[in-house]
């Protein structure tokens, strides 16, 4: 038999009931939420594809590990177990926990900015990373490769840096004004797309040439490593763990939202290769921000669950199924003619709503409009990654136009089954078939910052 998609290498021991409320109730709840899916109550959602962050299922080994959590304020045994796990994976010398990814960012990023106006360069800054760069007085510059904008054409590593642009920015801004280069793996905003080892290595070589520090924003580093194994020449027979080790070997700092490839519901990691001076600065700074350096905002039991989860996320049978699950949903949508970011990445299927609904202008938020239709159709919650998220230009006050209007169907880890993906695909195909009737959105309340979370809308008449 042809093994088209992998079979899950686990079975289900505990279940959580989910419930589909009626269509008229869904219409009512969405209107009450001001047509903003962040304002829905989760009990009104049947299948929740808002995020893969903190929404995964833990294994019985992780739940077991929680029972031996050591809640000591300082020097917790749970910390030392986590430290050992992170050291084994990264080879880095200095490890601190943080309460989640943005906690790690708020501790480390300000230490790297030596004077106002310094920049960070990334393939693509995640929103909170960008926010911490800006809060610390820096500027965030993105240099993603151009292939990532062409959703319909296959390219194996759409998460890559544009190396030429990277070097141009370093030269034009001056190397002493570059606080660091952030390698976001996988590149979330363009579709959970991987960075190739070749590109990763080249970025780090360029950084070394100009004596700039490299920071891995590695929320999904295990998925990225798996893509290198299956898509990059020369890595077919290398283990995912060794691939990850090679990546860590090139960079200087690892910041992780452990809510993704840590397979836990809350947690973060700071790991520094060998810069003791930087570690000491972070150690001082983490105390008032996150907590004492051996807990950094995490309970002892949660550090134990994470120590186990980090290893489970590198299991290749798990990763094969994980990536196949995303690919399966993408294949079903693509077969129906729905434009998606292709190939699918690691944690989500991104629907190209700019292409699906060209009749909706960018400032009426086509992806959010399609997402709302999908909720009404099937009780499925998703998230807009487009012009709504981009906000307004602070100087002109005009809506910024995103390069792409994407709807992210984000896949929680070890949570749903292929039947759920069939249901999601069938629902979205129904929406696709009536796409011409979908109307854009207009604000009834627009929040001044991070507007996608709290603004309210009505559909255009
Ligand atoms: N970096 C990346 C690449 C992320 O995707 C996220 C979170 C963070 C940093 C911040 O980590 O949430 O633990 O503070 N991404 C989530 C998402 C929220 O839905 O994509 P955090």
């Amino acid at each position: 038999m042809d093994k088209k998609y992998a079979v899950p290498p686990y079975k289900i021991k505990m279940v959580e009931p989910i419930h589909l409320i009626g269509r008229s109730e869904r219409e009512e709840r969405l209107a009450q939420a001001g047509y903003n899916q962040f304002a829905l109550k989760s009990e009104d959602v049947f299948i929740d594809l808002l995020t893969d962050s903190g929404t995964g299922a833990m294994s019985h080994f992780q739940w077991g590990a929680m029972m031996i959590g050591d809640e000591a304020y300082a020097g917790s045994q749970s910390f030392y177990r986590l430290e050992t796990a992170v050291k084994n994976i990264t080879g880095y010398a200095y490890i601190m926990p943080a309460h989640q990814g943005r906690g790690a960012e708020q501790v480390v990023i300000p230490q790297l900015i030596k004077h106002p106006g310094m920049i960070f360069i990334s393939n693509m800054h995640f929103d909170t990373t960008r926010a911490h760069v800006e809060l610390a007085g820096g500027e965030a510059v993105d240099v993603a490769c151009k292939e990532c904008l062409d959703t319909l054409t296959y390219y194996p590593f759409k998460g890559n840096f544009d190396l030429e642009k990277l070097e141009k920015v370093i030269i034009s801004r001056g190397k002493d004004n570059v606080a660091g280069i952030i390698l976001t793996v996988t590149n979330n905003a363009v579709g959970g797309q991987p960075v190739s080892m070749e590109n990763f290595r080249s970025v780090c070589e360029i950084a070394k040439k100009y004596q700039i520090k490299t920071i891995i924003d590695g929320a999904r580093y295990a998925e990225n490593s798996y893509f290198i194994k299956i898509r990059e020449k020369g890595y077919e027979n290398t283990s995912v763990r060794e691939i990850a080790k090679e990546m860590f070997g090139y960079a200087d700092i690892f910041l992780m939202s452990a809510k993704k490839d840590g397979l836990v519901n809350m947690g973060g990691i700071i790991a520094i290769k060998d810069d003791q001076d930087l570690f000491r600065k972070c150690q001082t700074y983490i105390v008032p921000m996150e907590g004492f350096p051996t807990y950094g905002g995490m309970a002892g039991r949660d550090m134990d669950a994470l120590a186990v989860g980090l290893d489970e996320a590198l299991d290749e049978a798990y990763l094969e199924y994980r990536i196949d699950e995303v690919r399966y949903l993408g294949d079903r949508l693509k077969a129906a003619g729905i434009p998606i970011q292709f190939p699918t990445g690691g944690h989500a299927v991104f629907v190209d709503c700019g292409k699906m609904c060209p009749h909706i202008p960018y400032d009426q938020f086509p992806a959010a409009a399609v997402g709302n239709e999908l909720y009404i159709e099937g009780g499925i919650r998703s998230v807009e990654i487009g012009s709504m998220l981009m906000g307004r230009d602070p100087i002109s006050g005009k809506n910024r136009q995103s390069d792409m209007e994407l709807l992210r169907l984000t896949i929680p880890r070890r949570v749903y089954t292929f039947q759920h993906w069939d249901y999601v695909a069938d629902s979205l195909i129904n929406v696709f078939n009536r796409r011409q009737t979908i109307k854009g959105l207009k604000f009834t309340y627009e929040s001044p910052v991070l507007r996608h979370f709290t603004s309210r809308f009505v559909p255009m008449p």
Side-chain angles (χ1 to χ4, degrees), residues 50-53 100-103 105 126 128-129 184 186 188 217 219-220 257-260 267 347 408:
L50 188 67
T51 180
D52 64 322
S53 184
Q100 62 182 98
R102 63 200 74 183
E105 291 162 2
F126 179 70
T128 60
T129 322
T184 309
T186 56
N188 181 358
D217 178 359
R220 302 176 183 86
S257 167
K259 301 168 74 170
K260 286 86 169 173
H347 69 295
R408 187 178 78 170

Side-chain angles (χ1 to χ4, degrees), residues 42-327:
S42 75
E43 64 184 14
D44 295 329
V45 175
F46 184 45
I47 295 182
D48 202 345
L49 308 183
L50 188 67
T51 180
D52 64 322
S53 184
T55 53
M58 295 209 298
S59 69
H60 64 180
F61 294 114
Q62 289 178 283
W63 283 108
M66 289 189 80
M67 300 307 289
I68 57 163
D70 173 4
E71 305 304 338
Y73 187 93
S76 155
Q77 297 170 64
S78 306
F79 166 74
Y80 291 109
R81 288 189 280 267
L82 175 60
E83 185 190 45
T84 302
V86 180
K87 281 186 171 174
N88 283 340
I89 291 167
T90 59
Y92 288 7
Y94 304 111
I95 316 297
M96 273 179 289
H99 84 280
Q100 62 182 98
R102 63 200 74 183
E105 291 162 2
Q106 75 163 344
V107 170
V108 176
I109 286 174
Q111 315 310 322
L112 299 171
I113 298 188
K114 301 200 176 67
H115 56 259
M118 284 189 92
I119 64 169
F120 280 88
I121 312 173
S122 177
N123 42 348
M124 189 88 65
H125 291 80
F126 179 70
D127 341 348
T128 60
T129 322
R130 186 184 309 279
H132 280 298
V133 166
E134 290 170 1
L135 284 169
E139 187 191 331
V141 179
D142 293 334
V143 294
C145 68
K146 61 180 186 316
E147 286 86 351
C148 71
L149 298 178
D150 179 6
T151 52
L152 302 184
T153 307
Y154 182 94
Y155 182 69
F157 292 103
K158 288 185 173 177
N160 279 354
F161 282 70
D162 180 331
L163 297 173
E164 240 171 71
K165 245 196 213 162
L166 170 66
E167 204 155 3
K168 261 194 200 147
V169 174
I170 296 171
I171 292 165
S172 69
R173 304 294 286 259
K175 74 175 178 62
D176 296 331
N177 293 318
V178 184
I181 297 175
I182 299 176
L183 299 111
T184 309
V185 296
T186 56
N187 187 346
N188 181 358
V190 300
Q193 295 291 319
V195 177
S196 73
M197 187 69 87
E198 189 190 5
N199 190 261
F200 192 101
R201 192 187 308 120
S202 305
V203 169
C204 295
E205 278 165 10
I206 292 171
K208 280 221 168 63
K209 179 165 131 194
Y210 295 102
Q211 295 153 314
I212 298 167
K213 277 217 186 303
T214 41
I215 302 111
I216 304 175
D217 178 359
R220 302 176 183 86
Y221 82 96
E223 291 169 4
N224 199 98
S225 303
Y226 182 73
F227 278 119
I228 290 174
K229 184 182 174 91
I230 62 171
R231 290 188 189 164
E232 190 161 349
K233 240 188 142 111
Y235 287 93
E236 307 82 358
N237 299 318
T238 313
S239 73
V240 167
R241 198 176 273 275
E242 282 171 68
I243 292 170
K245 203 53 163 283
E246 183 179 339
M247 286 169 51
F248 290 119
Y250 299 131
D252 299 307
I253 299 166
F254 173 49
L255 304 182
M256 182 185 192
S257 167
K259 301 168 74 170
K260 286 86 169 173
D261 282 351
L263 294 174
V264 290
N265 304 111
M266 193 53 74
I269 295 169
I270 299 167
I272 299 170
K273 188 191 259 167
D274 52 16
D275 185 341
Q276 192 184 47
D277 185 49
L278 175 66
F279 172 63
R280 288 195 169 139
K281 280 188 194 146
C282 293
Q283 240 186 344
T284 311
Y285 200 68
I286 199 171
V287 176
M289 307 307 283
E290 295 285 294
F292 189 76
T294 60
Y295 77 85
M298 290 186 77
R301 55 179 168 270
D302 289 339
M303 290 193 276
D304 267 308
L306 175 54
V308 176
L310 285 167
D311 278 327
E312 290 183 1
L314 287 167
D315 177 83
E316 298 191 11
Y318 153 76
L319 282 167
E320 182 188 11
Y321 177 68
R322 163 82 183 149
I323 300 304
D324 272 10
E325 177 176 38
V326 178
R327 184 167 62 91

